[in-house]
Amino acid sequence: YTTYGFTYDGNFMRDKWDKAYLGASLGFFNDKAGDANLGITQVDLAISSGIQLNSYNWLAVGVQGGFAQRSIDNASFEWGNQYGAGGFDPSAASGETMNFEPFNYMDVSAGLAWMYDKNAGTLSSNDALMFRAGVAMYHINQPEQMMFSQEDKLASKIIGYFSGRIGIRNTNMELRPMVMYANQNPAQEIVAGLLARYRLKEASKVTGNIKEQAIYFGTYFRVGDALIPTLRYEYAGFQLGVSYDVNISSLSVVSRGRGGFEVNLGYRLVTGTGSARLIN
């Protein structure tokens, strides 16, 4: 698998609107897989709007439209008729009539999100609360996938999530629960977990000379598949983390629990009008 992706998003109209803003994003994605280079290239443009309901609650809604192309490298196929006593002969007739041509399609998605954000009572009380929840539907128009048949449509995908930040009053600890559900008929995935954040050093509020440092530790659980122990270190907005998938599915008879490591690097950029995060 060879995958590239880039997304840029921002907001505007915050200076003119007291309790609302507009958001926009542009995304690019390219992926190629397997010996046949099964590939997809997609460009997406999204527009959203956030509205402040009261002192603590925000609601946002957005729509996304994209253009995609799928392709296969026909020259990479090897057919049985091309093998003989001398081995594989790419110049030999394959006897196959299939020729996969690239095809294009439009893709439409939409989503709704809610956020509750209550700041800490004092600079040192560490009792802030933040909760986020949302749901999105991708491939609403169920675009036709014409590589094999015009009757083959891309099924709609639904994703829902909930996450939180719960400060434990007058301590250096914070809890971060998370639940994610995804369904694209007939496949589905459920991931839930809890991380604890322990602040090693508090950032200086006035000079900014002392940078905040913290560690995260906890476990995620992918239902029916794996436990995912996770460890992260944070310094001045940067995060470096490592996790490991411990296989607990029926395949564990063969895998003996072995899964895969994942390393991620993130940076949280805080501006005068909000924040953005680049990760993985």
Side-chain angles (χ1 to χ4, degrees):
Y1 297 90
T2 304
T3 305
Y4 302 95
F6 170 80
T7 301
Y8 177 82
D9 65 84
N11 58 71
F12 50 97
M13 301 300 289
R14 280 185 178 269
D15 295 337
K16 296 183 178 181
W17 297 348
D18 292 336
K19 297 184 177 182
Y21 66 90
L22 294 177
S25 73
L26 178 66
F28 171 81
F29 176 81
N30 177 267
D31 177 77
K32 289 186 178 181
D35 294 335
N37 288 323
L38 175 63
I40 178 172
T41 300
Q42 185 159 348
V43 178
D44 292 303
L45 176 65
I47 301 294
S48 64
S49 177
I51 301 173
Q52 185 175 5
L53 302 178
N54 53 43
S55 299
Y56 303 130
N57 290 277
W58 283 82
L59 188 67
V61 61
V63 294
Q64 177 176 283
F67 174 84
Q69 181 182 80
R70 286 189 178 271
S71 62
I72 286 183
D73 181 9
N74 291 284
S76 64
F77 286 109
E78 298 179 6
W79 303 99
N81 290 342
Q82 295 176 299
Y83 281 87
F88 177 69
D89 181 4
S91 64
S94 67
E96 303 291 336
T97 59
M98 291 185 294
N99 184 31
F100 301 104
E101 296 291 338
F103 66 93
N104 308 318
Y105 61 90
M106 299 297 296
D107 198 6
V108 180
S109 308
L112 179 70
W114 162 80
M115 180 178 72
Y116 174 89
D117 189 3
K118 183 180 180 181
N119 294 327
T122 67
L123 291 177
S124 60
S125 61
N126 191 41
D127 56 353
L129 288 175
M130 176 185 287
F131 298 107
R132 295 184 179 184
V135 61
M137 177 176 283
Y138 296 86
H139 323 308
I140 294 175
N141 56 324
Q142 297 188 350
E144 293 180 345
Q145 306 294 284
M146 296 181 288
M147 195 160 290
F148 301 102
S149 168
Q150 291 189 358
E151 300 301 322
D152 187 15
K153 293 187 176 183
L154 183 60
S156 297
K157 178 169 66 174
I158 297 175
I159 294 181
Y161 75 92
F162 170 84
S163 65
R165 295 175 57 182
I166 306 170
I168 301 178
R169 186 176 180 85
N170 297 325
T171 72
N172 290 338
M173 293 290 294
E174 182 180 277
L175 299 179
R176 299 201 175 186
M178 184 279 293
V179 179
M180 187 276 292
Y181 171 78
N183 180 283
Q184 189 171 23
N185 191 32
Q188 72 173 9
E189 182 180 27
I190 303 173
V191 179
L194 177 66
L195 293 184
R197 180 184 188 269
Y198 181 78
R199 187 176 63 228
L200 300 172
K201 183 176 290 187
E202 186 176 5
S204 55
K205 299 295 191 297
V206 180
T207 65
N209 293 330
I210 301 176
K211 305 301 182 182
E212 181 130 328
Q213 298 181 47
I215 58 171
Y216 298 74
F217 53 92
T219 302
Y220 295 104
F221 172 54
R222 187 162 51 246
V223 176
D225 182 40
L227 287 172
I228 313 169
T230 301
L231 182 66
R232 296 179 190 168
Y233 172 72
E234 177 184 322
Y235 176 79
F238 286 94
Q239 282 191 23
L240 178 63
V242 61
S243 62
Y244 185 80
D245 288 20
V246 181
N247 180 233
I248 59 172
S249 72
S250 57
L251 293 176
S252 61
V253 176
V254 177
S255 69
R256 298 179 182 177
R258 291 172 296 182
F261 278 105
E262 179 175 317
V263 177
N264 63 75
L265 175 66
Y267 178 66
R268 188 166 187 260
L269 174 64
V270 180
T271 68
T273 57
S275 64
R277 173 166 293 183
L278 304 174
I279 195 162
N280 282 18

